Amino acid sequence: MAVKERVGMVVSNKMDKTVVVAVESRTSHPKYGKIVVRTKRYKAHDEENACQEGDQVRILETRPLSRTKRWMVADIVNRAADA
């Protein structure tokens, strides 16, 4: 069985050991053909609190860790630019 994997942007890191990751998916509208961008937000486990807002991260599906948390941060793809 394949492991589900997503790449997205960290939009919140205010919780302890948890980040909110926004994943964009681009699909074609079934009738009009225009590209539609849909955003889904996942709560992911971040054990070391290493992620900052704006980081691009890879998340993997895992067992339920809490009521809403079913993903964990695998690695940080790109760090946010220090501003």
Side-chain angles (χ1 to χ4, degrees), residues 12-71:
S12 173
N13 65 346
K14 292 176 174 55
M15 295 171 275
D16 186 35
K17 297 186 180 181
T18 304
V19 292
V20 179
V21 180
V23 176
E24 283 188 353
S25 63
R26 296 171 182 268
T27 57
S28 179
H29 189 279
K31 182 174 181 181
Y32 300 112
K34 180 180 168 133
I35 301 297
V36 180
V37 179
R38 292 200 171 95
T39 304
K40 180 138 173 77
R41 291 160 57 107
Y42 298 98
K43 288 190 179 74
H45 185 68
D46 178 22
E47 183 65 38
E48 294 89 30
N49 286 320
C51 297
Q52 301 297 321
E53 286 186 26
D55 289 353
Q56 191 175 18
V57 295
R58 178 175 293 109
I59 58 175
L60 299 174
E61 192 175 39
T62 184
R63 65 183 178 84
L65 300 171
S66 72
R67 191 181 70 156
T68 58
K69 196 162 54 165
R70 269 90 173 123
W71 296 80

